[in-house]
Each structure stands twice: as structure tokens, then as C-alpha cells.
Amino acid sequence: MSENYTLESFTVESSDGAKLRTRMFKPGGEAKDGNLGIVLVHPYSILGGCQGLLKGIASGLAQNGYTAVTFDMRGVGRSTGRPSLTGFAEVKDVVAVCNWLSNTLSLPRILLVGSSAGAPIAGSAVDQIEQVIGYVSIGYPFGMTASILFGRHHKAILQSPKPKLFIMGTQDGFTSVKQLRNKLNTAAGRVETHLIDGVGHFQMEGPGYDAEMVDLIIKFIASL
């Protein structure tokens, strides 16, 4: 597919003053849904997570007619501020970008997508943003070790009544399939899982799976 999308750069200010470098991927042709924007939240800042890792998914969504936004959370790339260990400061960044997108393009509906540690951070923001109509997690780190850092985020997404899709590789090193199912047994609202057989955590984050992630996100949007 040709690069049938446009890319614009912005700076969005978080509620506590962090300035976030933000990119908007817009369809080159007609939009599939002019009332919907998709905000993607990158993996763990402290382990080198940045918005560039989500370019493949964001551009794929734009090529399919959806407006998608990526951004560097505080302290990453050219965004100001300092990253936090547990990701709670970054929840403000997600809220700021979603509100900015909704206001800038007058979008009444937003889908939040979080990758790896971006999933718990996005999950904590879901019910803080009225316009968010659904949530997609790519490799949510629910396992015991990751829960030391991100365990306090679990409750927010599990208790949210908004529709949720959890995508995970069956060989994810942070979360076993059993751990995922046990967690989601307690979840409120509509919950879907999509397991990718034999795939590890970082493998699924790689560009080889971008097209599959785009397809899964688009199918989920169609169901909302």
C-alpha cells in the first residue's frame, strides 16, 4: 500500500506543564469515520519506549481511513518533564492528548490503544476521558514481576464499563495466558481477548505484527 496519509506534528501541554511531542496521522483520502480518533500510547519510557515504535500501526490505521495520534510521553525524545517509574504521571499525558485531539478536530469519539507498559497507563486514563468509547491493549503486563510497577493500574481498566480488547502473544514473557484469563474474569463490561499463538512480548511489539494489529483494531472499531 502506498503512503496514502498525511503526517503533522504538534506540541501538546499536559496539565502539569509537560510539553509532549505529538504526531497526527491523517487519511490521505476519505475518512472511514470522521467522528473517531485513535490515540496510541507507547511502551515503557524507561526501557526506551517512544512514539516511533507505533508509527507502523498509526500509519496503517491512517491508510485505512482513520485519524491516529502518537506522542512521546514526558521525558521521552523531545517531550519535556521526567518519566515516572510506575507510569502514573504519564496518565496525565494520555488525558491531555485525548482532550487535545477531541477539541482540535471536534471528535466526539476516541479509541485508546496501549502497547506494553502503555496499556496500563492508557487503561488508567480510560474513565477520565468522556470521549473514550473503547480500549485496546497490546501485551498488557499483568504478570507478577510487572505488577510490582504497574499493579496499581489494573483496577481502573478492569472496573471500567467501556468495551475492551486484550491482544497478547501466548509466549508473552511478562504475562501467561492463565494470568491474563484470571485477571479478565473479574473485568466489568464487554471484554474480548485475541491470542497470537507462539508469539513473545517484544516480538509482537515489532513491525512484523503491525499489519495484524491494524486489522484487529479496525475489527474492534466496527463492533463498537
Side-chain angles (χ1 to χ4, degrees):
M1 195 183 283
S2 65
E3 293 212 349
N4 187 24
Y5 66 91
T6 61
L7 179 58
E8 297 174 52
S9 295
F10 301 89
T11 300
V12 175
E13 192 163 330
S14 198
S15 61
D16 58 359
K19 291 180 172 58
L20 312 169
R21 294 301 294 238
T22 304
R23 294 178 192 146
M24 186 188 296
F25 297 75
K26 291 174 86 171
E30 200 177 328
K32 278 264 171 58
D33 185 341
N35 291 317
L36 175 78
I38 302 165
V39 173
L40 299 114
V41 184
H42 68 68
Y44 198 31
S45 303
I46 289 167
L47 289 180
C50 64
Q51 66 177 328
L53 297 172
L54 298 171
K55 183 187 175 187
I57 297 175
S59 58
L61 289 165
Q63 286 165 353
N64 279 280
Y66 295 94
T67 296
V69 167
T70 64
F71 65 101
D72 282 326
M73 290 189 272
R74 61 187 58 214
V76 173
R78 290 164 70 187
S79 292
T80 66
R82 293 178 63 185
S84 72
L85 202 58
T86 58
F88 275 96
E90 283 79 354
V91 175
K92 294 176 194 160
D93 300 347
V94 178
V95 172
V97 170
C98 287
N99 287 335
W100 168 83
L101 176 62
S102 178
N103 294 334
T104 304
L105 295 186
S106 301
L107 295 175
R109 300 163 79 230
I110 287 175
L111 178 73
L112 254 183
V113 179
S115 176
S116 189
I121 293 167
S124 282
V126 161
D127 283 345
Q128 295 185 34
I129 306 149
E130 193 184 335
Q131 293 86 348
V132 169
I133 50 141
Y135 164 88
V136 177
S137 150
I138 299 170
Y140 195 120
F142 273 127
M144 292 296 288
T145 310
S147 292
I148 295 166
L149 289 172
F150 306 117
R152 287 187 302 131
H153 288 282
H154 296 178
K155 190 173 168 185
I157 192 57
L158 294 175
Q159 291 186 345
S160 172
K162 296 179 180 179
K164 306 173 258 301
L165 168 62
F166 290 84
I167 306 166
M168 195 179 88
T170 59
Q171 299 298 313
D172 190 297
F174 293 102
T175 309
S176 69
V177 173
K178 186 180 175 187
Q179 284 169 325
L180 178 71
R181 289 195 168 129
N182 284 346
K183 276 288 181 187
L184 298 186
N185 274 341
T186 65
R190 186 181 127 210
V191 185
E192 291 176 38
T193 55
H194 183 92
L195 297 174
I196 300 176
D197 198 41
V199 176
H201 185 90
F202 295 106
Q203 191 182 356
M204 198 174 75
E205 275 181 23
Y209 286 87
D210 285 350
E212 189 167 350
M213 297 304 129
V214 169
D215 286 346
L216 289 168
I217 292 165
I218 289 170
K219 283 187 184 118
F220 185 63
I221 290 167
S223 75
L224 294 173

